[in-house]
């Protein structure tokens, strides 16, 4: 559960760090949005460094959580309800994350 919560927090800060410059560039937002965006991206990098191992396996699993958090953002921030296909895709991504992160491993790179 700790790993999943860390993935969710990491994804949230990555999305915020990218969304604020998007608002500035595409929606005529203030350039001041870049300051909290930089803070959010710094938090994203810091959170990414807290994951159990900084390996391709962790980054691949994080990608599955990112997809689900991005769809939650679509719904709560952009005001667009995810379709059933979006939800199915997110469920598949989360299932993939669980397989990658929680599969039994023996010794070495297994």
């Amino acid at each position: 559960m700790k790993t999943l919560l860390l993935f969710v927090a990491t994804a949230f800060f990555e999305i915020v760090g990218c969304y604020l410059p998007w608002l500035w560039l595409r929606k005529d937002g203030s350039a001041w949005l870049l300051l909290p965006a930089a803070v959010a991206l710094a938090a994203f990098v810091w959170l990414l460094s807290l994951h159990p191992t900084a390996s391709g396996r962790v980054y691949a699993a994080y990608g599955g959580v990112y997809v689900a958090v991005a769809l939650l953002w679509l719904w709560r921030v952009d005001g667009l309800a995810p379709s059933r296909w979006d939800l199915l895709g997110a469920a598949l991504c989360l299932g993939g994350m669980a397989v990658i992160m929680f599969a039994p491993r023996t010794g070495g790179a297994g």
Side-chain angles (χ1 to χ4, degrees), residues 15-73:
I15 291 170
V16 168
C18 295
Y19 183 73
L20 294 176
W22 180 84
L23 285 177
W24 171 58
L25 292 168
R26 301 289 301 271
K27 299 290 185 179
D28 296 323
S30 168
W32 285 105
L33 291 170
L34 297 178
L35 188 58
V39 171
L41 288 173
F44 157 68
V45 171
W46 175 70
L47 288 166
L48 203 55
S49 75
L50 298 178
H51 290 276
T53 57
S55 70
R57 182 176 288 138
V58 170
Y59 296 144
Y62 164 71
V65 174
Y66 179 87
V67 169
V69 173
L71 288 173
L72 184 62
W73 184 276

